[in-house]
Structures are given as structure tokens and as C-alpha cells.
Amino acid sequence: MEHELPCLSPGCKVKSNARVSGNLSFIRLFKKEKKIAMASMQPPSGIKPPAKKIKKILCSALLFCLGRGFQAVSGTDPEIEKEIEAWDEGFSILFEVAPEGPFLHLRKGKDRMLFAGMRSAEADLVVHFKNIEAAFMVLTTQMGTPRAFAEHRIGVRGNIPEAMRLIRCLNYVQYYLFPAFIVGRVMKRLPPIPAGRLLSGRARVYLMGIPLGL
Amino acid sequence: MLPPYFQFYNPVKILSGKKALENIPYELELLNAGRPMIVTDKGVVQAGLIDIVTAALGGSRLTIGAVYDRTPPDSSSRVVGEAAALFRDAACDSLIAVGGGSVLDTAKGVNIVVSEDTTDLMKFIGADRLTKPMRPMIAVPTTAGTGSEVTLVAVIANEEKRFKMLFTSYLLLPRVAVLDPRMTLSLPPRITAATAMDALTHAVEAYSCLQKNPLSDAYAWAAIDLVRKYMFTAVTDGKNEEARMALANAALMAGCAFSNSMVGLVHGIGHAVGGVSRVPHGMAMAILLPWGMEYNMEKCAPHYGELLLPLAGPDEFLKTDPEKRPGRSVAVIREMNSRLNKLAGMPVTLKDCGVKRESLPDIARTALGDGALVFNPEESDYNEILGILRKAY
């Protein structure tokens, strides 16, 4: 949007209907035009980019499924159990999407990960999506976690070995959440989960984990 | 082929060649600084390199505020705190790091402490945690391998909690990197060989890891070409300034490459070998590189095939069948290792480096926690890493 500013130079034709007569009139005119100019120099209201509300809602839903799914399989899959064993009870993980969420908060319980809500919180390990598109691509498995890290779409705050542990867990959780033909495209290779365990795990995730939080 | 997306950033001004050190006062003036603290270590001081730097700064308006020379081989939070206190006491306004990787990491750590005005480095662990503009830092590498002079990483040990703190931020990049032939002339053949192989590993991994891109490829390619042409000359004739400068530039270019496209499995395991068994990083890299390449062969064969050209030269490249080029690249690196073993006593197995067989499981477990594994194109678990270590043993 262009804003036309009146010229304040005495030699110029100013955009005004005021009659100029003598020095006093000129000073009045100058003050009046200065006011107009000051008003015109206020920054324009600007263009607000789209809020991407639908993507935010979808990401919230997917983070919710990820959190509940992680909780459901963390107590049953021996590989995930082995990984999270190293974390002390109370160890917390936050997934956050810049700039204002959504968020997913997880906390280590006695022997499994617990879904601790969808609000921002202090955490030992923070997985930071730099924008909603990055979160959307990763959560909808259009992009694998390693590639998202490699492309600097995700950042981590916290201890790197713990982040590596989390990435290994996420590979397993994602395989429980999505079929092989979807996650196989973005994972370096599928986690070696036996077919029977995979089937029972998926049943647990979709029938009890996500809907009931068990 | 272009990747779907990539980032590349390297704002470091590079001064390379004869009497490059003499330009430091001018560069500091441009950066509005005039009272630097020199960060270095005892070895560098004993080799007379600080005297060379001090003399090179002569005839300028600059005042050296302080010299911190107690940097150990592995930087730690205690050392960083001590050096930062000296920086403040001497009212310094900038940093000149003269040394190898540990010295450069220490200077970066000092910069975090004084620029963020903190005493707790822990708050800044991880990626992109720094927010304040850093003090001007000039890096003068005295080895030709780490590439720290152009990388955004600092690794500093936390002595209390006994782990290595990793900091990555574009703000950590030095403002100027100075490559002066006088700085590396005194490096002994074995260290020359080890650091050159470190640079080669940076370049090979940058060329084949997940975030490879045309810009980092160009740097990696040029680095490998320089290593092939000059490494053996620098090892056998340490006073050859051309060879020394070629390796210094190769290390810098490899640093630019991997600072953007990252390193992978070889570094992941190599860091663990260094951490658990105290093997010098360059030696671990030289030993592990061919084994890591073989492990990644299924995913990286086309890239390794291309690399035969800078690794072995055009004659060798043309006379090798295209399908045999990836394997030949690995063989060329093994031949380099054998030759360096004869010329400089470089070890060719982990056993030669003093690694104990019983520590291999511990190394494999430690490697699993290394962030470099994320960027490796091939997945790896504990047993597979242990398998690589056994082969390299």
C-alpha cells in the first residue's frame, strides 16, 4: 500500500486548500501540514500472514496421538523400555512448535513414559520445530526425523545422547502408529519389531492408548 | 542432484597465505576491537608460535590484553571459566585463538561466557541457544585438520557431571580465520598425517551424509583434491610451505563442508573411541573411515564412486570401471593409511592405538549417543557399531 506524503518545502505546492497570506499564515499552514505528514508517517497496519489454524489443529491432534501412543507402547515394547530405562523418573520431554505451539509434554513415570499434557512446560529435553510446516511434515511422516534434523528444521535443547535415545524411541513409536508403506519412505530402515508384537502393539495404541490414555 | 532443501552458511572471512598474521590488527580494527586476549596452550607457546603471532601484531595500535595458555588437550568448563575471568580482569574486547581444536573450542566457550554474561554454560547446551552477539574472535589454527576455524560447534567437557557439552550456533563462528604457513611448519609428521586424515574424513562424510548439497560438495571435493596432492609431501617434507598451506586450506574447506552438511557414522564412532580410549581423533578417523564407508556402501555407492576422482586422480578414475569406483575409493584410502604407516608410523588398527578389546562394547554404547549418527545415511544399532569396531580392531 502506498502512502502519499505532502511536501513541506516552502517552495512546493502543498496539498491543502488553505490560503497562504503573509508569514503568519505560512507558519500556520506549515504546522497543519506537518501534522498531516506526521499522521501519514505512522506505520501502516501491515499484512498479517495467514494463521495456518487448520495445520495447527492437525499438528495438535498428531502430537496428541504421538504422546498417547508413546505412553501406550513404552510399557510394552522391550526396545523402548530398554531405551527409557536410562532416564530417571520425572525426566521430561517437551515437543514445541514455534512460535506459540502446539506443545506436547511427556514425563518418565516409574517404568514408562507418561503423557503429561499439551501445554508448554520446563523440560530436560526440548524438541523444537522451527515452524508449523516443519512440524506438519514430520508428524504426517512426509519427512523423517533424521532428515528434519539434517535440514535444520528441528533443533534440540538438552543433552545430545538423550536426544539420540528419544529419536530411537520415536522410530519405534512411529512404526506402531503408521503402516510400513508410510513410515518406510522416510525412515532409514524399519525398526525390527516382530509381526505379532507389532500387531498387538497397534491394537493397544489405537484401541486403548490414544482414545483412553491407557 | 539438488537436495529438496538445504541450508549453507559461512560468513567467516578467510586470510590465507604469506604474512597473513600481520593483517590481524587491521581486521580487529574493522571489528571495533583493539584489546584482544590470546587463547592458546603450552605446546603452542613452547613451539614459539605465540612469539611469531606477537611479532606479527607489532607496529599496530593494538594491545594484547592477556594471554591464556593453560588450555588442556580436552577443553573443560573449569578452563573456560578461568580464561573468561582473565578476559574480564584484563578488560579485553576480543579473542585471538591460536592452537588446535581444543584451543578454538575454549575460545568459543569463553566467548559464550563473556558475551552472554553468564557463569553457567549448561544453559546454552544444544543448538541455537545463544542470543547475544559474540565478541569478535579470530581463529589461527596451528594444526590442519579440525576445521574449527570455520565451524559453528564447540565441545567442552563438564568436569562435574562428566559429559561433553555440545554447543552449536551460527554466533559461534569466528569472524576471521587466519591460515599462515608459519603456524603449521613445526608439526611433526605423525600429527600432520593424523590431522590430514581428519580433514579427509570430514570431506568424505560431508560429501555423503544426509544434508549434502552442491555448495558443501564443492568445498569437500576441493579439500579431498588438496589432501591427495599434498598430504604425503607435507608428511615427508614438513618445511614445504606450499604443502603446509594446501593442507591448512584443505582442512578449512572440509570444515566449511561439514559445518553445513554434517558428519556421520565415522565421526560418531570416532568420538566414542577418543572419549573411551583416549585415541587421538585424527588417528581414529583414519582407521575408521574405510570401514565406515564400507558400512554405508549400499546407500552411498554413487557418491563414493564420484569421489574416486579427487581421491586418486583422473588417470586412476578413468581406468576404473564405473561400478568398481566406489570400492576402489575405499581401497585408495586404505592405501593412504598403509603409506602413512610406513612414512610416519600412523597406526592402521585400533589395537595399534592401544584400544583394549574389552572396551569395544563400551565404545559402541557411547557411540550410540553421538549426534553425528543422525546425519548418517544408513541406520546403525549397537551390534552393528560393535561389528565395525571389531573389524577396525
Side-chain angles (χ1 to χ4, degrees):
Chain A
M1 192 187 296
E2 287 185 8
H3 290 266
E4 196 179 358
L5 294 179
C7 180
L8 297 179
S9 166
C12 273
K13 283 186 181 174
V14 289
K15 287 188 175 181
S16 167
N17 296 324
R19 280 183 64 191
V20 180
S21 59
N23 283 346
L24 194 62
S25 301
F26 177 75
I27 291 166
R28 280 187 196 136
L29 173 68
F30 185 82
K31 281 182 179 168
K32 186 176 178 185
E33 294 301 337
K34 194 176 174 188
K35 271 185 191 169
I36 295 167
M38 294 297 281
S40 305
M41 280 194 287
Q42 292 298 315
S45 56
I47 300 163
K48 193 79 183 154
K52 299 192 176 179
K53 282 183 184 165
I54 293 175
K55 276 191 174 157
K56 281 184 184 170
I57 291 166
L58 280 171
C59 282
S60 288
L62 289 162
L63 279 172
F64 178 83
C65 293
L66 181 72
R68 285 276 180 96
F70 200 161
Q71 175 177 267
V73 295
S74 65
T76 55
D77 186 285
E79 293 302 322
I80 300 178
E81 278 180 328
K82 210 177 355 175
E83 292 290 357
I84 65 172
E85 215 175 64
W87 292 333
D88 295 332
E89 194 174 338
F91 181 87
S92 60
I93 299 167
L94 180 75
F95 290 81
E96 66 175 17
V97 183
E100 295 164 329
F103 303 94
L104 165 64
H105 188 206
L106 297 168
R107 191 166 39 79
K108 168 84 189 292
K110 199 174 175 193
D111 49 9
R112 64 189 287 210
M113 290 308 290
L114 300 172
F115 175 80
M118 301 290 291
R119 286 192 183 161
S120 179
E122 284 291 312
D124 298 293
L125 186 64
V126 178
V127 179
H128 176 84
F129 292 95
K130 290 186 180 172
N131 53 57
I132 190 73
E133 291 297 336
F136 189 74
M137 279 196 288
V138 172
L139 294 170
T140 53
T141 66
Q142 294 175 65
M143 177 178 280
T145 319
R147 177 153 292 283
F149 273 108
E151 294 184 359
H152 307 275
R153 296 180 195 271
I154 305 181
V156 167
R157 296 202 295 268
N159 202 355
I160 298 298
E162 310 313 335
M164 293 299 292
R165 216 174 269 289
L166 174 66
I167 290 171
R168 288 195 290 273
C169 288
L170 285 177
N171 274 350
Y172 276 83
V173 176
Q174 282 193 311
Y175 194 24
Y176 279 110
L177 285 170
F178 297 100
F181 74 90
I182 292 178
V183 285
R185 288 182 296 114
V186 295
M187 281 185 187
K188 292 177 191 173
R189 73 173 175 222
L190 292 170
I193 307 174
R197 192 194 303 158
L198 187 62
L199 206 64
S200 62
R202 279 185 181 153
R204 170 182 282 272
V205 167
Y206 282 107
L207 299 176
M208 296 190 292
I210 295 173
L212 305 173
L214 297 172
Chain B
M1 200 173 74
L2 268 179
Y5 175 86
F6 71 91
Q7 296 185 357
F8 190 92
Y9 186 65
N10 176 39
V12 182
K13 184 170 182 179
I14 295 153
L15 314 180
S16 168
K18 201 172 172 66
K19 296 217 179 261
L21 288 170
E22 275 73 359
N23 281 325
I24 290 177
Y26 177 76
E27 294 300 331
L28 279 176
E29 210 170 306
L30 284 182
L31 295 165
N32 283 324
R35 196 177 165 83
M37 176 169 92
I38 294 179
V39 180
T40 187
D41 62 35
K42 295 279 186 207
V44 172
V45 174
Q46 277 162 15
L49 300 183
I50 294 302
D51 294 338
I52 296 173
V53 173
T54 312
L57 304 181
S60 69
R61 284 197 287 264
L62 183 147
T63 304
I64 299 169
V67 177
Y68 182 82
D69 65 0
R70 291 201 290 273
T71 309
D74 283 316
S75 184
S76 71
S77 43
R78 182 189 58 77
V79 170
V80 167
E82 201 175 270
L86 180 62
F87 184 98
R88 284 175 178 139
D89 291 347
C92 296
D93 59 11
S94 51
L95 290 149
I96 302 176
V98 186
S102 175
V103 166
L104 267 60
D105 281 353
T106 302
K108 288 175 183 176
V110 171
N111 214 350
I112 296 173
V113 172
V114 298
S115 302
E116 292 282 351
D117 197 18
T118 182
T119 50
D120 184 12
L121 272 174
M122 289 282 280
K123 283 195 292 193
F124 301 97
I125 292 179
D128 297 331
R129 301 295 303 277
L130 306 177
T131 52
K132 294 185 182 156
M134 298 282 118
R135 303 294 172 96
M137 175 179 159
I138 293 188
V140 185
T142 57
T143 60
T146 65
S148 286
E149 62 275 17
V150 284
T151 65
L152 47 78
V153 184
V155 181
I156 295 160
N158 185 320
E159 286 176 330
E160 265 177 44
K161 299 191 175 175
R162 291 179 162 269
F163 77 100
K164 287 200 171 183
M165 302 182 288
L166 183 76
F167 307 87
T168 64
S169 167
Y170 289 122
L171 294 170
L172 280 180
L173 282 161
R175 301 292 291 269
V176 183
V178 182
L179 307 182
D180 190 295
R182 289 167 286 180
M183 292 292 101
T184 51
L185 284 179
S186 57
L187 270 185
R190 204 160 129 122
I191 297 178
T192 304
T195 49
M197 289 305 286
D198 185 20
L200 183 75
T201 310
H202 289 154
V204 170
E205 291 214 283
Y207 195 85
S208 52
C209 278
L210 283 185
Q211 185 58 343
K212 83 182 241 86
N213 61 72
L215 291 173
S216 66
D217 285 357
Y219 281 98
W221 188 280
I224 296 170
D225 203 42
L226 285 173
V227 169
R228 169 178 58 87
K229 285 175 181 159
Y230 290 99
M231 177 170 65
F232 295 109
T233 311
V235 169
T236 52
D237 176 15
K239 298 294 175 199
N240 185 318
E241 284 198 8
E242 186 188 345
R244 288 296 191 188
M245 280 312 291
L247 285 191
N249 277 282
L252 180 143
M253 290 175 198
C256 285
F258 92 80
S259 191
N260 285 282
S261 54
M262 301 301 177
V263 284
L265 177 83
V266 178
H267 269 80
I269 303 177
H271 292 151
V273 170
V276 175
S277 300
R278 299 280 156 206
V279 175
H281 182 66
M283 289 179 188
M285 292 296 98
I287 295 164
L288 291 165
L289 178 58
W291 298 109
M293 288 173 78
E294 277 185 356
Y295 182 81
N296 285 332
M297 190 57 84
E298 202 180 313
K299 298 258 173 86
C300 298
H303 310 319
Y304 294 158
E306 289 164 9
L307 286 183
L308 184 61
L309 181 54
L311 275 169
D315 294 344
E316 176 80 25
F317 182 78
L318 288 174
K319 76 178 184 196
T320 309
D321 288 338
E323 69 272 15
K324 288 184 180 164
R325 283 174 188 160
R328 184 73 194 113
S329 289
V330 179
V332 166
I333 290 169
R334 290 213 163 98
E335 286 161 20
M336 284 179 175
N337 277 339
S338 302
R339 206 170 149 197
L340 290 174
N341 174 256
K342 289 188 186 94
L343 290 173
M346 273 277 284
V348 287
T349 63
L350 293 177
K351 193 178 176 183
D352 294 345
C353 296
V355 176
K356 291 183 178 139
R357 185 173 273 280
E358 54 271 24
S359 62
L360 296 186
D362 199 14
I363 295 171
R365 268 190 294 277
T366 308
L368 273 180
D370 195 285
L373 294 191
V374 175
F375 308 109
N376 195 64
E378 187 62 87
E379 191 68 83
S380 51
D381 62 22
Y382 169 79
N383 288 323
E384 286 157 339
I385 293 173
L386 192 58
I388 294 170
L389 285 166
R390 282 184 180 141
K391 284 180 185 170
Y393 193 78

